[in-house]
Amino acid sequence: MISTDRLDSAFLALADPTRRAILTRLAKGEATVMELAKPFAMSQPAISQHLKVLEDAGLVAQRTEGTRRPRRLATAGIDAMDRWLEMLRSALERNYDRLDQVLANMESAPRKKGGKR
Amino acid sequence: MSKLKLETQGDRYVVVTRQFAATPEALYRAHTDPKLIQQWMLGPDGWTMPVCICDARPGGKMRFEWASSGQAGFFLTGEFIELTPYRRIVHVERMHLPDPTPDNHVETTFEANGSGTLMTMRMTLPNAATRAAMLATGMEGGMEASFARLETLI
């Protein structure tokens, strides 16, 4: 079960364009703070701050490799596939329930020209 | 109670099927006539589609714009590739969040069967970053609502 708090912090974390760009970069593979800071013209502390928000939201994880601490997308935290599929499903279900109604209306009010078929 | 079936195919595709009590012709029209699309392709409650351009012919363009009070809107652009009236629509689309997502290739078919029409929609799965952006943009209100509903059901 996904907790609402977790979802809230994930959405909050994703609301920032720099953080979305960081995720886009990490989707291509893990990277260190230094590597992440480079394309953003931001200081490393600023990037670290963004990473902390992403880590707190469970979207990014880090591992230790000697003195390096590369970050990667946290698949367990994101579960973006599951959430996306769930969002898609609920949006489609809502859409198709409405479509049922649209189709029923079409049936009862056929096109003016050429009759029902 | 859900008539919708949604499954992933390999790691690239998602296939959606849904049975409708209507003819393939009616379904095809509901998927290609802007006036009809605007009535149902709205996603979560609270959203409207003030702009719907849908030039349903090969090479024709589509542009759907969604709006919701209190949230930033977003839009989708796309092009039709192949259309077989009342049976099959192939198009490519992308969301603008506001950066465009990678192209999503969509094949939609309508197949008459005993009680109506079976619709099958096969689309490309977005990559991880795109999924994250989609989750973050626009639909969070509806999504939270749907999770809230889910929790009350469990």
Side-chain angles (χ1 to χ4, degrees), chain A residues 2 7-8 11 14 80-81 84 87-88 90 93-100 102-103 106 111 117, chain B residues 2-4 18 20 25-26 29-30 40 42-43 45 119 121 123 126 131 134-136 144 147 151:
Chain A
I2 297 157
L7 213 53
D8 283 351
F11 282 129
L14 288 164
M81 176 71 96
W84 183 81
M87 184 186 72
L88 180 69
S90 70
E93 271 174 350
R94 197 69 199 87
N95 277 357
Y96 293 142
D97 287 347
R98 281 191 211 101
L99 179 53
D100 281 336
V102 170
L103 292 165
M106 286 166 75
R111 280 178 294 179
R117 291 279 170 255
Chain B
S2 172
K3 290 178 274 185
L4 181 88
R18 201 339 181 127
F20 290 94
E25 180 188 352
R29 284 175 51 210
W40 66 269
L42 304 174
D45 288 338
M119 187 211 72
M121 184 167 67
M123 52 184 159
R131 284 196 297 272
M134 283 175 157
L135 287 167
E144 273 171 37
F147 273 110
E151 274 160 15

Side-chain angles (χ1 to χ4, degrees), chain B residues 87 106 141 145:
Chain B
R87 294 181 55 86
V106 186

Side-chain angles (χ1 to χ4, degrees), chain A residues 102, chain B residues 29-30 32-40 52-54:
Chain A
V102 170
Chain B
R29 284 175 51 210
T32 49
D33 179 342
K35 290 262 178 302
L36 295 173
I37 291 170
Q38 281 175 304
Q39 293 175 41
W40 66 269
C52 181
I53 296 163
C54 189

Side-chain angles (χ1 to χ4, degrees), chain B:
Chain B
M1 89 163 240
S2 172
K3 290 178 274 185
L4 181 88
K5 230 176 89 185
L6 185 149
E7 53 195 18
T8 52
Q9 216 176 63
D11 57 0
R12 284 206 58 201
Y13 304 102
V14 53
V15 180
V16 174
T17 54
R18 201 339 181 127
Q19 179 71 27
F20 290 94
T23 61
E25 180 188 352
L27 269 155
Y28 184 89
R29 284 175 51 210
H31 277 79
T32 49
D33 179 342
K35 290 262 178 302
L36 295 173
I37 291 170
Q38 281 175 304
Q39 293 175 41
W40 66 269
M41 207 183 280
L42 304 174
D45 288 338
W47 288 84
T48 60
M49 192 193 287
V51 175
C52 181
I53 296 163
C54 189
D55 184 12
R57 54 184 171 148
K61 298 215 179 310
M62 58 173 72
R63 182 185 173 98
F64 303 159
E65 293 184 21
W66 287 275
S68 164
S69 62
Q71 284 182 81
F74 61 102
F75 65 100
L76 172 152
T77 59
E79 296 83 38
F80 286 98
I81 296 167
E82 262 181 82
L83 296 108
T84 309
Y86 314 143
R87 294 181 55 86
R88 184 168 176 263
I89 302 168
V90 182
H91 77 275
V92 64
E93 65 177 36
R94 62 207 70 86
M95 294 275 206
H96 299 258
L97 302 169
D99 296 328
T101 62
D103 282 2
N104 177 15
H105 184 272
V106 186
E107 180 190 34
T108 311
T109 59
F110 309 110
E111 200 180 318
N113 62 13
S115 51
T117 299
L118 180 71
M119 187 211 72
T120 304
M121 184 167 67
R122 187 171 189 266
M123 52 184 159
T124 320
L125 283 171
N127 62 31
T130 301
R131 284 196 297 272
M134 283 175 157
L135 287 167
T137 306
M139 293 205 168
E140 56 262 79
M143 200 181 147
E144 273 171 37
S146 75
F147 273 110
R149 277 200 296 273
L150 195 68
E151 274 160 15
T152 61
L153 289 174
I154 292 169

